[in-house]
Amino acid sequence: RFSPRPSPRPSSMAARRPELSMDAKWEAAIDLTLRRVVYGSLAGGVAGLLLFRGAGSRSASLAFGAGAALGSAYTDCARQFESLGLPKLPPSPK
């Protein structure tokens, strides 16, 4: 008769090699940052076209959208890397 497929092993490659986990986190961080900056720039550009008449105001709106998206991506990426438990750098002397 038909026998069911064996279930996959619970240990994955990332569990065996910690550097693969780091690579996956970097890949996710770069992807998240690029997507957010592009979408933030588009949103800022569209808002600038709809709300402002001057070129300076429009470009400021685009820059604000890109900056807000970049800050949001940085915060989320920093939170992802904190979960790795890497040692923190000591504060710089003043």
Side-chain angles (χ1 to χ4, degrees), residues 48 52-62:
F52 303 114
R53 299 179 89 186
S57 301
R58 287 180 176 173
S59 61
S61 173
L62 184 130

Side-chain angles (χ1 to χ4, degrees), residues 13-58:
M13 287 288 287
R16 287 184 276 162
R17 295 185 49 195
E19 64 269 9
L20 291 180
S21 176
M22 178 67 92
D23 288 345
K25 287 197 186 280
W26 270 109
E27 188 174 325
I30 291 169
D31 180 56
L32 176 76
T33 302
L34 287 176
R35 269 191 290 123
R36 287 201 180 166
V37 168
V38 168
Y39 293 151
S41 298
L42 286 174
V46 168
L49 285 174
L50 294 176
L51 299 175
F52 303 114
R53 299 179 89 186
S57 301
R58 287 180 176 173

Side-chain angles (χ1 to χ4, degrees), residues 78-89:
R79 197 173 299 132
Q80 280 182 343
F81 283 106
E82 281 178 1
S83 68
L84 286 176
L86 298 174
K88 298 207 185 275
L89 293 175

